[in-house]
């Protein structure tokens, strides 16, 4: 970069002297169109249940979903992501509940589509971890996660969600080859319009802790997810993962977690012409939220954290702050 001019005739502070000029030269912008709101659902009636590790985030019973969806629609949040807290009695080694058409996710999709039509998009995770008694995203056999056998179930899970009316299928399992197979299966059943958002670069991260608490898989998880989720020391490998998923038919790709992986978002953006999304995960949310609650940092930290994703090149951000800041942004 060539810098023309030199102090004292060059003073970069001039462009920052007032609010109006700062707005004028602002390089990035965060709007409600950039936000995806994750929502946890739970069995039962009349429930809005708090989650200890995620202050300000709740699990809703299906009948109470309109409490939060109404707000999302009113503030024009484009997309919600549904995550189930599955009763442990419904979990088994194979995650069979994932394929039950009356499971929580299916009931949530049906309700939202019926009540809100196409006013808001629905995204659903494809992975087995909310449903397996061992807490893994895939089938576990003799201490190993089986890839191809898992993919066969994920295909069925995707088709079921598409049938229910899910708009965006989001495989978050990190098995090899699943995007291509899911795309093919969706097309064969005439779901050409159902989008695939691949969690393409998903790292084995400690920042998922509160989420696992929220979906009730925390105490079940045997071992870790390092044989399928990525090693956080790597960046080149993320580009290979992304390239493969694009080739297999992903419409959008996700980098996850968010703030510790801004470098990955940036290099995906520089290397591929595809919308890249960031997931500001549960641990990131809770750290910021607790900091605000304890008055260690102030509320502006939320927008600052989200703007970092825009700077890095993200098209949208999955964030538990979405409903809390949507109106401020509008
Ligand atoms: C499940 C899944 C996880 C998250 C989203 N989908 C957890 C995991 O992989 O263990 C994490 C989201 C968050 O922490 O907010 N495959």
């Amino acid at each position: 970069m060539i810098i023309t001019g030199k102090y004292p005739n060059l003073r970069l502070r001039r462009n920052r002297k007032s609010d109006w000029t700062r707005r004028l030269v602002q390089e990035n912008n965060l709007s409600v169109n950039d936000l995806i709101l994750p929502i946890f659902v739970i069995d039962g009636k009349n429930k809005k249940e708090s989650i200890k590790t995620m202050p300000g985030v709740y699990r809703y019973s299906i009948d109470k979903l309109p409490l939060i969806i109404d707000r999302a629609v009113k503030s024009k949040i484009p997309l919600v992501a549904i995550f189930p807290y599955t009763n442990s009695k419904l979990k088994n080694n194979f995650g069979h509940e994932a394929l039950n058409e009356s499971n929580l996710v299916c009931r949530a999709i049906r309700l939202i589509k019926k009540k809100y039509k196409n006013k808001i998009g629905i995204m659903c995770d494809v992975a087995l971890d909310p449903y397996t008694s061992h807490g893994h995203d895939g089938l576990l056999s003799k201490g190993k996660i089986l890839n191809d056998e898992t993919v066969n179930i994920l295909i069925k899970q995707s088709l079921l969600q598409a049938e229910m009316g899910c708009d965006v299928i989001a495989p978050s399992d990190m098995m090899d080859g699943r995007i291509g197979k899911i795309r093919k299966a969706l097309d064969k059943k005439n779901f050409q319009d159902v989008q695939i958002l691949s969690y393409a670069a998903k790292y084995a991260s400690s920042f998922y802790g509160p989420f696992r608490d929220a979906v009730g898989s925390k105490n079940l998880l045997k071992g870790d997810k390092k044989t399928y989720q990525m090693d956080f020391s790597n960046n080149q490998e993320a580009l290979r993962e992304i390239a493969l998923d694009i080739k297999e038919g992903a419409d959008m790709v996700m980098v996850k977690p968010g703030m510790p992986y801004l470098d990955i978002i940036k290099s995906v953006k520089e290397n591929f012409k595809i919308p890249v999304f960031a997931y500001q995960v549960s641990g990131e949310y809770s750290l910021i939220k607790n900091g605000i609650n304890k008055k260690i940092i102030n509320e502006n930290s939320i927008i600052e954290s989200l703007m970092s994703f825009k700077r890095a090149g993200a098209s949208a951000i999955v964030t538990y702050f979405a409903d809390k800041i949507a109106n401020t942004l509008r």
Side-chain angles (χ1 to χ4, degrees):
M1 188 170 38
I2 304 154
I3 296 185
T4 48
K6 186 164 120 198
Y7 174 83
N9 34 13
L10 185 64
R11 289 174 187 267
L12 295 187
R13 283 186 55 193
R14 267 198 289 268
N15 284 345
R16 300 179 206 137
K17 67 181 175 187
S18 309
D19 178 62
W20 62 263
T21 166
R22 289 193 293 272
R23 280 188 283 128
L24 210 55
V25 299
Q26 185 176 337
E27 294 175 42
N28 291 284
N29 187 39
L30 180 72
S31 92
V32 73
N33 299 330
D34 301 318
L35 304 177
I36 300 167
L37 172 68
I39 296 174
F40 296 107
V41 289
I42 188 164
D43 249 319
K45 281 216 155 59
N46 202 22
K47 279 191 194 160
K48 180 186 172 186
E49 191 175 277
S50 50
I51 301 164
K52 223 197 282 158
T53 53
M54 299 186 76
V57 176
Y58 302 89
R59 302 185 191 100
Y60 295 87
S61 55
I62 304 291
D63 59 321
K64 286 287 167 193
L65 261 181
L67 280 181
I68 181 86
I69 307 280
D70 273 349
R71 277 190 21 224
V73 169
K74 269 198 201 108
S75 49
K76 290 231 152 186
I77 290 175
L79 183 65
V80 290
I82 304 295
F83 295 103
Y85 176 96
T86 307
N87 189 312
S88 57
K89 284 186 215 130
L90 297 172
K91 298 186 184 188
N92 62 25
N93 275 329
F94 311 99
H96 280 142
E97 180 67 5
L99 304 182
N100 173 2
E101 64 171 50
S102 334
N103 71 22
L104 277 167
V105 168
C106 292
R107 278 186 279 147
I109 301 173
R110 286 199 299 260
L111 176 124
I112 299 169
K113 275 297 145 188
K114 193 169 161 207
K115 194 164 158 60
Y116 303 91
K117 308 282 184 299
N118 214 13
K119 282 195 202 135
I120 194 158
I122 306 177
M123 151 182 163
C124 294
D125 254 37
V126 170
L128 299 182
D129 59 306
Y131 310 106
T132 51
S133 36
H134 44 69
H136 279 288
D137 295 32
L139 296 175
L140 181 66
S141 171
K142 297 182 191 131
K144 282 193 173 160
I145 299 296
L146 305 175
N147 193 88
D148 300 4
E149 292 80 351
T150 299
V151 172
N152 285 332
I153 301 178
L154 300 179
I155 293 170
K156 292 185 186 150
Q157 188 183 15
S158 307
L159 286 172
L160 176 62
Q161 292 175 353
E163 261 165 54
M164 295 296 129
C166 178
D167 302 291
V168 180
I169 299 284
S172 68
D173 55 289
M174 287 296 280
M175 296 301 117
D176 285 326
R178 85 280 203 222
I179 299 299
K181 293 226 168 174
I182 290 172
R183 183 71 271 164
K184 205 168 151 204
L186 287 172
D187 288 356
K188 203 169 152 207
K189 296 272 180 185
N190 275 325
F191 292 120
Q192 285 91 349
D193 288 343
V194 172
Q195 290 151 281
I196 297 182
L197 164 58
S198 168
Y199 286 80
K202 178 171 177 181
Y203 288 84
S205 170
S206 297
F207 289 93
Y208 305 149
F211 174 93
R212 291 179 190 165
D213 180 29
V215 301
S217 70
K218 192 175 198 126
N219 300 323
L220 300 176
L221 185 63
K222 288 213 181 93
D224 56 50
K225 300 192 177 184
K226 289 182 183 167
T227 70
Y228 46 108
Q229 299 181 348
M230 283 179 55
D231 179 342
F232 55 66
S233 326
N234 299 351
N235 49 0
Q236 304 260 300
E237 191 186 356
L239 298 183
R240 294 183 84 193
E241 284 285 0
I242 301 264
L244 264 174
D245 284 3
I246 294 175
K247 209 167 162 194
E248 290 180 31
D251 300 288
M252 303 162 285
V253 292
M254 182 101 81
V255 173
K256 180 181 175 192
M259 275 168 73
Y261 297 86
L262 293 174
D263 58 325
I264 309 296
I265 298 170
K266 185 149 198 265
S267 57
V268 171
K269 192 65 193 175
E270 283 169 356
N271 283 282
F272 303 97
K273 303 291 164 243
I274 189 166
V276 49
F277 292 6
Y279 200 137
Q280 183 179 52
V281 300
S282 55
E284 301 174 63
Y285 168 84
S286 297
L287 280 172
I288 296 172
K289 185 71 179 164
N290 284 331
I292 294 169
N293 288 350
K294 292 190 179 133
K295 299 199 165 27
I296 297 167
I297 51 177
N298 69 31
E299 287 214 322
N300 297 334
S301 57
I302 300 173
I303 304 278
E304 182 178 341
S305 72
L306 297 174
M307 195 64 88
S308 74
F309 298 115
K310 298 298 296 182
R311 247 177 18 241
S315 305
I317 307 137
V318 185
T319 172
Y320 301 92
F321 288 116
D323 56 322
K324 298 162 183 70
I325 55 149
N327 287 331
T328 329
L329 294 178
R330 269 156 56 85

